[in-house]
Amino acid sequence: MKIAVLGAGAWGTGMALQLAQRHTVLLWSRETDVADAMRQTRYNQRYLPDVRLPDSIQVHGGTAQAADVADCDLVMVACPVAGLRGQLAVLRGLLMPLVWLCKGFEEVQDSAAAGLLPHEVMAQVAPELRAGVLSGPSFAQEVARSQPTALVVASRHEDVRSTVVHAVHNETLRVYSSSDCIGVEVGGAVKNVLAIAAGVLDGLAQQCAAGATLAFVPGLNARAALLTRGLAEMTRFGLALGAEAATFMGLSGMGDLVLTATGDLSRNRKVGLLLAQGLTAQQAVATLGHVAEGVCCARTVLARAAALQVDMPITRCVVNLLDGKINAKEAARLLMGREAKAEFGL
């Protein structure tokens, strides 16, 4: 197969490396100078500097147009959510299956507008596309090195699901199928916000282990409670948007949440760790040097939940922390200080 991967960040490059084992891959970097460097050195120095690009990956620069990928069997859009609208707009009319790899909500500047999930963005700019989402618990570095990983492809089009499974599924990368795009996208977006909260608790616990004296000392018990209640929060929100409950017990729900909230490679967890050190959200993102989608979409998640009358206390706490209304210690107390209630809404 011939597959185009549009976006040469860590995840796009990692997926291209995985696909190149069996397919011809066209990898696009929006920045032409980055593409030139990748062609010359055969390394993505910024995102995956330790993994060489095989010759079967053809590197291109600029924004891929529909004509550039017209002879491909599959197109994967690996840009951040912020770039999805523009990329899909120039791909209108494509006949082959397309999937996006990004996770999050589109951030909007107009307070009267609602931030959209990727499939909602597509419905506005390119509704004719046969498309879906490929998501799940996956660090790019591990995928690039062919370490065992499991993903889920979701689409209402059976041929999109089957094409992606045929292209991606192999001995080390297992791909499951789903028709629940909403649930898979909600899981991929909300788990980033919850990972920030988990990073805050872990960061405060690390300070205590290093000798700091705190009146409130979160530990592993607190993290387990946070993630369990976070999964319930994610599920309530997803159901209100039209998702299926079972999806949140799968790879894109519980699976991705566990990985992102506990893994040392997680950007969003790293933001939480930095916030626990006293950095502002802006300082934490600057220190990170890469996109952390949880920072970008937390306010959008909270706004849409409010419109749906869905209570999301963990998300609200993260937003208040990002906005500087509370500090990390206050956030930890709020995260673990909810009133007693029935666990399952009895």
Side-chain angles (χ1 to χ4, degrees):
M1 295 178 69
K2 188 174 184 179
I3 302 172
V5 179
L6 312 184
W11 189 212
T13 304
M15 182 57 69
L17 285 160
Q18 180 70 219
L19 294 169
Q21 298 177 25
R22 295 189 295 135
H23 308 293
T24 298
V25 178
L26 282 61
L27 176 62
W28 254 269
S29 171
R30 182 174 54 84
E31 301 167 296
T32 55
D33 57 333
V34 172
D36 290 340
M38 291 172 64
R39 279 194 295 267
Q40 293 170 9
T41 67
R42 304 307 297 177
Y43 285 91
N44 187 332
Q45 295 291 348
R46 181 176 182 186
Y47 293 104
L48 287 175
D50 300 327
V51 186
R52 188 182 185 280
L53 302 179
D55 294 337
S56 53
I57 295 180
Q58 304 170 21
V59 180
H60 301 267
T63 300
Q65 307 293 314
D68 297 322
V69 298
D71 62 340
C72 291
D73 301 295
L74 174 66
V75 174
M76 292 187 172
V77 179
C79 64
V81 173
L84 183 64
R85 179 177 295 270
Q87 183 62 80
L88 291 180
V90 299
L91 295 177
R92 293 193 62 179
L94 281 185
L95 300 178
M96 74 288 295
L98 176 148
V99 289
W100 44 82
L101 311 182
C102 51
K103 301 175 181 179
F105 281 79
E106 184 181 50
E107 190 176 19
V108 294
Q109 303 303 320
D110 182 0
S111 60
L116 303 179
L117 285 163
H119 79 276
E120 296 172 321
V121 174
M122 188 204 73
Q124 286 189 351
V125 299
E128 75 285 353
L129 293 177
R130 298 197 332 278
V133 55
L134 180 62
S135 189
S138 50
F139 288 139
Q141 293 91 328
E142 293 193 4
V143 171
R145 296 185 177 90
S146 294
Q147 293 179 255
T149 304
L151 301 174
V152 57
V153 57
S155 174
R156 62 186 181 88
H157 301 283
E158 192 281 331
D159 66 314
V160 172
R161 301 193 298 269
S162 62
T163 298
V164 173
V165 170
H166 176 70
V168 180
H169 189 95
N170 61 37
E171 292 181 353
T172 60
L173 185 54
R174 180 178 295 274
V175 183
Y176 292 85
S177 297
S178 170
S179 59
D180 184 14
C181 275
I182 297 174
V184 169
E185 288 182 343
V186 168
V190 177
K191 58 90 181 180
N192 287 327
V193 181
L194 300 174
I196 295 174
V200 171
L201 295 187
D202 286 349
L204 293 176
Q206 290 173 8
Q207 291 177 32
C208 293
T213 301
L214 298 178
F216 182 83
V217 185
L220 298 180
N221 293 348
R223 185 173 69 184
L226 174 76
L227 297 187
T228 304
R229 297 313 304 163
L231 182 61
E233 184 168 306
M234 175 195 297
T235 303
R236 286 198 303 271
F237 182 50
L239 293 178
L241 286 168
E244 300 171 13
T247 300
F248 299 103
M249 296 305 296
L251 290 166
S252 62
M254 182 172 65
D256 212 355
L257 174 60
V258 170
L259 179 73
T260 310
T262 65
D264 290 336
L265 295 175
S266 168
R267 298 175 184 176
N268 293 282
R269 177 174 179 269
K270 179 65 173 179
V271 168
L273 293 173
L274 293 170
L275 292 171
Q277 294 174 16
L279 274 67
T280 65
Q282 292 76 16
Q283 291 169 335
V285 171
T287 300
L288 194 67
H290 300 295
V291 174
E293 289 286 4
V295 176
C296 301
C297 78
R299 297 174 189 85
T300 298
V301 170
L302 189 61
R304 289 202 67 170
L308 294 166
Q309 297 184 323
V310 174
D311 187 26
M312 300 190 72
I314 299 174
T315 300
R316 182 167 57 250
C317 184
V318 170
V319 169
N320 286 335
L321 178 58
L322 292 172
D323 288 345
K325 296 178 180 179
I326 57 175
N327 61 35
K329 295 176 185 177
E330 293 168 330
R333 284 190 174 278
L334 288 171
L335 288 169
M336 299 307 301
R338 296 277 287 170
E339 72 281 359
K341 59 187 296 187
E343 183 175 15
F344 298 114
L346 298 177

